Amino acid sequence: MDVLLDVFDTLVLDRLYASVFPKPAGKLLHNHLSLNKTEFGALNQNINRYVEVTPSQWAVQSSWPRDNIFRQGLSLFLVAWAFGVILYFITSTLSYCFVYDKRIMNHPKFLRNQISLEIKQAMKSMPGMAVLTALCFVAEVRGYSKLYDFADEGPFPLYTYLQFPLFITFTDFGIYFIHRGLHHPWVYKHLHKAHHKWIISTPYASYAFHPLDGFSQSFPYHLYPFLFPLQKGAYLILFVFVTIWTVMIHDGEYALDSPVVNGSACHTIHHYYFNYNYGQFTTLWDRIGGSYRKPNPELFDREKRMKNEEIRKQVKEMEQLVKEVEGKDDRCYVAAEVKKTL
């Protein structure tokens, strides 16, 4: 994140902070006369490891210097929030337009105005998640993590490739137990219930949850580089991959029938029936923890999964589990609205 912060400081934020928190005129003149090219270059020491970038005159015109912890926190909050929103809309919209089986929106458990409700919940959550994420990023920028720049700085040559499966393995383990903990009755009621409002999810449900819920499930991603070495480029790639994966497991297109990978079908079962398939990437910990449920074979047949008989069977179990887990069902379904008008 230090490299990205240099980029955004140079392109946008230096001028913003100089305008909002300017230095007194006397100090501005002194700084302009005393700073030489080397000192200017030092301001971009992180990005200059990759490519030479010269900061603008605005870099020294704010009373909040670049290494001010409050400025770093605010900047990283804005970057995390903006990138979160952009990635959410790009990946969710692409998935909805080109992958999502829209016939499922006729399911009796699809909510009235559901997509707009999912987007609204996601937009409400993003700022809170960005605040908590920014705290982790500040610790990284200030040198408390084990992030490194280039492959030859890793523990050993093969680690360049091993860091990817190690990251997935570690985070899959952490998310399983955090997610399962979120289903404890007290925690579920206050945090995780917001995400399970979407029994029949769409890609826009991928980040439609309570901000503490969302951050808690992302925490293993942030914890990993504080415990284990991770190349900065790999961290960025994995960050984008995790975002795309989270959308993919809500896309309702069951392309992968795997006993190992926790794909869209497995996560659909989790939304349908609550107490199964807590894993993020694999089914390993669900199998060990006794919470694995194999997706119904009908899900993988585009015709069978939309038959009335299959849907009636789903609805019967869904209603029973909603009653057990939540008590009263306060959702407003499209099917219920249609019945009222008949």
Side-chain angles (χ1 to χ4, degrees):
M1 285 300 153
D2 52 1
V3 177
L4 283 179
L5 195 55
D6 274 357
V7 171
F8 282 98
D9 275 333
T10 302
L11 296 179
V12 179
L13 298 176
D14 283 336
R15 184 163 188 167
L16 174 65
Y17 284 109
S19 301
V20 177
F21 303 107
K23 276 186 176 179
K27 288 188 176 181
L28 275 178
L29 179 61
H30 172 75
N31 282 341
H32 182 72
L33 293 174
S34 63
L35 278 174
N36 57 39
K37 186 176 181 180
T38 302
E39 291 170 315
F40 259 113
L43 290 171
N44 277 15
Q45 59 181 326
N46 297 305
I47 191 175
N48 284 347
R49 296 172 195 158
Y50 298 86
V51 58
E52 190 73 22
V53 176
T54 304
S56 69
Q57 60 177 331
W58 304 104
V60 293
Q61 294 188 11
S62 173
S63 59
W64 279 26
R66 282 191 180 184
D67 61 354
N68 180 293
I69 190 171
F70 298 107
R71 169 172 168 166
Q72 289 175 336
L74 179 57
S75 298
L76 290 166
F77 160 72
L78 294 172
V79 170
W81 187 9
F83 265 80
V85 170
I86 291 168
L87 280 174
Y88 167 74
F89 276 110
I90 289 175
T91 54
S92 298
T93 301
L94 288 174
S95 178
Y96 178 78
C97 291
F98 299 109
V99 179
Y100 186 62
D101 185 353
K102 298 175 185 61
R103 297 177 303 164
I104 199 67
M105 295 167 69
N106 295 316
H107 195 286
K109 293 302 177 182
F110 197 81
L111 304 187
R112 180 166 61 90
N113 301 322
Q114 180 169 316
I115 291 178
S116 62
L117 291 172
E118 289 171 339
I119 293 173
K120 183 178 178 181
Q121 180 63 49
M123 292 303 97
K124 284 171 60 179
S125 297
M126 287 284 185
M129 288 189 289
V131 168
L132 297 169
T133 300
L135 295 175
C136 299
F137 287 164
V138 167
E140 292 169 8
V141 167
R142 298 186 77 83
Y144 294 104
S145 74
K146 296 178 182 289
L147 290 168
Y148 60 93
D149 287 287
F150 302 108
D152 59 6
E153 298 173 5
F156 50 88
L158 191 59
Y159 192 79
T160 300
Y161 307 100
L162 285 177
Q163 62 186 331
F164 293 97
L166 289 174
F167 178 91
I168 295 298
T169 301
F170 176 85
T171 54
D172 196 44
F173 167 79
I175 292 170
Y176 172 80
F177 288 99
I178 291 170
H179 191 181
R180 189 158 187 170
L182 287 163
H183 277 260
H184 183 279
W186 187 89
V187 181
Y188 178 88
K189 176 183 177 182
H190 294 282
L191 295 183
H192 199 49
K193 183 180 177 180
H195 187 59
H196 273 275
K197 183 174 184 176
W198 334 110
I199 295 176
I200 307 300
S201 63
T202 81
Y204 294 102
S206 53
Y207 286 88
F209 35 39
H210 189 285
L212 283 177
D213 179 1
F215 177 76
S216 67
Q217 293 193 64
S218 72
F219 182 68
Y221 307 141
H222 301 296
L223 179 61
Y224 185 91
F226 290 95
L227 300 178
F228 308 102
L230 186 63
Q231 192 174 354
K232 292 176 183 177
Y235 189 33
L236 184 59
I237 291 169
L238 287 163
F239 189 82
V240 174
F241 166 74
V242 164
T243 301
I244 295 172
W245 182 266
T246 304
V247 172
M248 285 174 59
I249 61 175
H250 291 87
D251 66 13
E253 184 54 49
Y254 316 114
L256 187 63
D257 184 6
S258 169
V260 177
V261 178
N262 187 84
S264 179
C266 283
H267 198 69
T268 291
I269 292 297
H270 177 72
H271 274 267
Y272 279 11
Y273 308 125
F274 294 85
N275 298 322
Y276 306 95
N277 301 349
Y278 300 104
Q280 181 77 351
F281 300 113
T282 76
T283 63
L284 172 64
W285 293 103
D286 280 300
R287 291 178 181 278
I288 293 173
S291 54
Y292 175 68
R293 176 166 171 168
K294 182 178 173 59
N296 304 349
E298 290 81 7
L299 288 179
F300 300 98
D301 187 312
R302 288 183 61 86
E303 299 307 319
K304 286 184 179 179
R305 70 188 184 210
M306 295 306 300
K307 285 188 174 180
N308 289 334
E309 181 182 352
E310 174 64 17
I311 290 175
R312 281 197 296 269
K313 184 171 65 174
Q314 293 171 2
V315 168
K316 183 178 180 180
E317 187 172 1
M318 288 171 183
E319 290 179 344
Q320 178 184 342
L321 287 167
V322 167
K323 187 175 180 179
E324 289 177 8
V325 174
E326 298 181 358
K328 182 181 179 182
D329 188 353
D330 56 3
R331 297 169 182 81
C332 183
Y333 300 105
V334 170
E337 289 296 303
V338 171
K339 286 181 181 179
K340 287 180 183 178
T341 61
L342 295 178

